[in-house]
Amino acid sequence: MTAPFRICFVCTGNICRSPMAESVFRARLTEAGLDGLVEVDSAGTGGWHEGDGADPRTVAVLRAGGYEHAHTARQFQASWFDRLDLVLALDSGHLHELRRLAPTARDAAKVQLLRAYGTGAATGPTADDASGPVPVPASAPGRSDDLDVPDPYYGGFEGFEECLEMVETASEGLLAAISATLRTRSVVSARVPDHDHRRAAQDPQQPQEKESA
């Protein structure tokens, strides 16, 4: 059985932007019928708010948008890279911090900016690289700070509404990219024979065991 594709959205304290992104993308997966194939989580680069719920303004905009929400903040750990397929930073500061935290170059390549997926159609990796990170669209701008989801914490409610709009837009492109990657995984999985097929291929002349009298 193929393991689920695991995603983690990361912002600073895990109370504003990343829980918002988690809720929105979870809804998109459910709408697409992919919620059983993809696991979604969120975290913060810092631990100041560990154990807290989401900011009330985040909760308010999510409820206004019709999104379900339940959240407890936590801090991202380097050990999580091993089980994650994609780590989505909400701004360029998080991107650089997470890549520095990554134990290997392969893990660092898993870290991408969320809004990079909102700039065009993204496609999954080739069949020969199905375990790699999900590529960002070729049309994504080169400057990572152009793709930040601004921190709304110190502003008014309007900032949270703007963040939600950015997250919703990026989630459409991200869903397309994840869908393509899942299709590629299915193709690769279908090419790999199960244990019994491998045994038959290795020893096609092997006689069948006789039933005992």
Side-chain angles (χ1 to χ4, degrees):
M1 184 176 180
T2 304
F5 191 91
R6 296 184 174 93
I7 302 170
C8 187
F9 295 94
V10 183
C11 67
T12 304
N14 193 212
I15 61 169
C16 295
R17 292 168 287 177
S18 58
M20 188 183 295
E22 178 186 352
S23 292
V24 170
F25 195 62
R26 197 183 299 278
R28 295 293 176 270
L29 290 170
T30 299
E31 292 166 1
L34 298 176
D35 48 318
L37 301 176
V38 182
E39 292 182 0
V40 185
D41 208 342
S42 66
T45 55
W48 311 282
H49 298 288
E50 278 193 291
D52 294 344
D55 187 289
R57 294 164 293 180
T58 290
V59 176
V61 296
L62 287 173
R63 285 178 177 168
Y67 296 104
E68 295 182 2
H69 179 74
H71 179 70
T72 301
R74 58 184 189 154
Q75 183 176 10
F76 189 90
Q77 304 296 323
S79 59
W80 297 359
F81 274 107
D82 187 55
R83 64 177 177 80
L84 291 170
D85 295 288
L86 184 62
V87 180
L88 290 161
L90 272 290
D91 68 31
S92 55
H94 308 133
L95 178 79
H96 299 314
E97 187 169 351
L98 289 164
R99 286 182 173 173
R100 286 195 299 268
L101 187 66
T104 68
R106 183 179 179 83
D107 289 328
K110 296 177 181 179
V111 185
Q112 301 291 342
L113 282 167
L114 171 60
R115 285 192 67 208
Y117 291 93
T119 60
T123 57
T126 64
D128 294 330
D129 189 31
S131 61
V134 180
V136 298
S139 57
R143 283 174 52 86
S144 62
D145 54 359
D146 291 338
L147 299 175
D148 287 355
V149 176
D151 188 355
Y153 184 78
Y154 296 103
F157 191 76
E158 296 79 7
F160 285 80
E161 292 177 319
E162 291 174 3
C163 281
L164 180 61
E165 291 177 5
M166 291 180 180
V167 166
E168 287 178 327
T169 299
S171 291
E172 297 300 329
L174 177 61
L175 180 64
I178 297 299
S179 297
T181 298
L182 292 174
R183 287 194 296 270
T184 301
R185 280 189 167 190
S186 297
V187 170
V188 173
S189 178
R191 292 178 181 174
V192 179
D194 61 22
H195 178 67
D196 290 337
H197 290 162
R198 285 197 300 269
R199 287 183 58 190
Q202 292 169 357
D203 190 6
Q205 303 302 321
Q206 182 178 355
Q208 296 181 350
E209 293 183 5
K210 294 182 179 180
E211 296 181 359
S212 56

